[in-house]
Amino acid sequence: MVEEYGQDFGVVSGGVYPELAEQIAGILDKELIDIDRKRFLDGERYVRFNESVRKRDLFVIQSLTEMNGYSLNDALMETLLIVDAAKRASADWVTVVWPLMPYARQDRKARNREPISVSVVIRMLEIIGTNRIVTVDLHSAQSQAIFNRPFDHLTAEPLIRGRLAQIIGKKKSDYLMVSPDAGRAKESEQYADELGIELIHMPKSRDRSDTSKLRRPPKIDGVVGKTCIVIDDMIATGGTIISAAETLKKSGAKAVMLAATHGILSGNALEKFQNSSIEKLILVDTLPQERTIKALGSRVEILPVAPMIAESLRRVLVGESVAELFHDMNNK
């Protein structure tokens, strides 16, 4: 396999979600590089390579979420330590693969005197010597501009759209794409066009006295008897999506389906989904979803991201176009 790719490379896993790294490495016909990871009693993280990485190209794969004794910031710090250790051990090229970019929602100054957090995170990677970043479905694609080196933005849209097309089949008149807010209008239109179904936009506003509270109209026209599909890039607390589902059901929708790339599902999100009107939740496993499967059972379907990431990394190794894999959909 080394001969096929033309250079020696290795796959390194962070401690949060090693199963995903193992799947990607397996597709690339590699075993994970042996690495020690531990946490000191005061909370500091430690890593050490147990084999030589001199002159090798490394893919460092880490999912940034709270799991396996890690906080998101633990996972972030561990990634930085792995990159630094690799560069100090004379690795030629280090690519950080973050299926979910941390702090991606804080991509601008929405109020005075606050940080642009995603900029801080990306610049940290650049400062310690990261040569390339690979991520899936950035919250805002323009965040790539922060990094002054190669940045591969992958998209799970073909996975999600392909599964939705299978579900819809030839009964297109029974389904309706619903844009839950202005931020998802463009993507919802593209999904509707590709799937050949109608689209409606759902208005949303926030309570001026409490911006955490959403306001929806009591009913939406044109959804009676339809199975409504709502898509999003990520689900955190689920508040926006669940409020949309409740309004659609009150308006006479037959069923509500939700599809998203990143199932963060923080706080009591799973409990809210259990008690919601959403009949089906489709997620991509950029983050571990064992808790989701346990909580929602047959109501959730998980799409595997490892083949898509592995093929993208293969193309990086052999110098083929990553954009062509997605027919340029990853540049939208």
Side-chain angles (χ1 to χ4, degrees):
M1 190 62 68
V2 172
E3 290 77 11
E4 177 184 341
Y5 292 130
Q7 68 260 33
D8 190 9
F9 74 96
V11 180
V12 186
S13 177
V16 176
Y17 189 15
E19 295 83 0
L20 177 60
E22 288 171 358
Q23 292 172 33
I24 294 170
I27 295 169
L28 294 172
D29 197 24
K30 283 283 186 179
E31 293 185 359
L32 293 178
I33 289 177
D34 187 22
I35 185 172
D36 279 340
R37 298 182 296 263
K38 64 182 179 181
R39 180 181 183 274
F40 293 112
L41 291 177
D42 62 0
E44 291 185 359
R45 290 281 167 179
Y46 170 86
V47 300
R48 179 182 182 275
F49 286 95
N50 291 323
E51 59 185 271
S52 175
V53 295
R54 183 179 295 273
K55 300 299 182 182
R56 300 179 75 182
D57 291 353
L58 302 183
F59 296 114
V60 179
I61 302 172
Q62 177 80 293
S63 292
L64 289 99
T65 189
E66 187 171 353
M67 187 176 178
N68 288 337
Y70 286 75
S71 68
L72 183 152
N73 290 325
D74 285 336
L76 170 59
M77 189 64 198
E78 184 180 79
T79 305
L80 298 176
L81 294 177
I82 291 173
V83 174
D84 186 70
K87 299 301 283 190
R88 293 178 186 276
S90 301
D92 264 356
W93 189 274
V94 178
T95 297
V96 167
V97 182
W98 275 343
L100 171 61
M101 176 63 66
Y103 293 93
R105 285 169 289 180
Q106 299 175 37
D107 60 353
R108 63 188 178 90
K109 286 182 64 175
R111 302 173 63 188
N112 292 328
R113 299 179 296 280
E114 66 181 14
I116 303 177
S117 303
V118 71
S119 174
V120 174
V121 170
I122 291 174
R123 284 189 287 115
M124 281 196 295
L125 287 181
E126 185 168 344
I127 288 169
I128 63 170
T130 303
N131 299 101
R132 180 186 295 266
I133 296 175
V134 176
T135 194
V136 182
D137 284 333
L138 272 167
H139 190 65
S140 297
Q142 61 264 30
S143 296
Q144 298 171 81
I146 300 165
F147 193 65
N148 294 310
R149 293 166 188 166
F151 194 128
D152 290 305
H153 180 215
L154 317 184
T155 179
E157 181 177 337
L159 293 177
I160 296 172
R161 185 161 40 80
R163 181 58 185 133
L164 291 176
Q166 290 176 341
I167 293 171
I168 293 169
K170 296 181 179 180
K171 299 180 179 180
K172 295 184 179 182
S173 61
D174 294 342
Y175 291 83
L176 190 67
M177 182 65 63
V178 179
S179 172
D181 53 42
R184 301 303 297 173
K186 180 179 178 182
E187 289 79 4
S188 298
E189 290 173 2
Q190 291 167 342
Y191 267 83
D193 287 343
E194 293 290 340
L195 293 170
I197 61 177
E198 294 185 6
L199 166 74
I200 65 169
H201 297 277
M202 178 178 288
K204 178 190 77 171
S205 61
R206 293 195 178 270
D207 190 320
R208 290 187 178 182
S209 61
D210 185 355
T211 56
S212 67
K213 294 181 179 179
L214 296 176
R215 287 179 174 176
R216 299 279 190 190
K219 286 191 176 182
I220 301 294
D221 294 331
V223 304
V224 175
K226 301 283 188 178
T227 296
C228 296
I229 302 172
V230 184
I231 57 103
D232 212 339
D233 63 325
M234 64 174 66
I235 306 170
T237 63
T240 297
I241 295 297
I242 290 173
S243 70
E246 299 304 323
T247 299
L248 291 168
K249 289 293 286 186
K250 290 177 183 176
S251 302
K254 178 182 177 182
V256 179
M257 296 173 52
L258 168 62
T261 301
H262 308 296
I264 301 171
L265 300 171
S266 54
N268 65 341
L270 286 176
E271 182 180 349
K272 289 191 288 187
F273 271 100
Q274 286 176 317
N275 299 321
S276 75
S277 300
I278 295 173
E279 277 80 2
K280 190 173 187 63
L281 173 62
I282 299 174
L283 298 172
V284 181
D285 62 351
T286 56
L287 300 173
Q289 296 298 336
E290 286 83 358
R291 288 175 54 249
T292 309
I293 295 169
K294 183 177 180 180
L296 300 181
S298 61
R299 292 170 64 187
V300 66
E301 181 174 350
I302 308 299
L303 305 179
V305 77
M308 181 186 78
I309 294 178
E311 173 59 18
S312 300
L313 300 185
R314 186 197 69 81
R315 288 174 177 246
V316 168
L317 285 166
V318 301
E320 294 180 3
S321 171
V322 173
E324 287 181 2
L325 176 63
F326 302 99
H327 305 289
D328 285 331
M329 285 190 296
N330 59 323
N331 293 320
K332 294 186 294 187

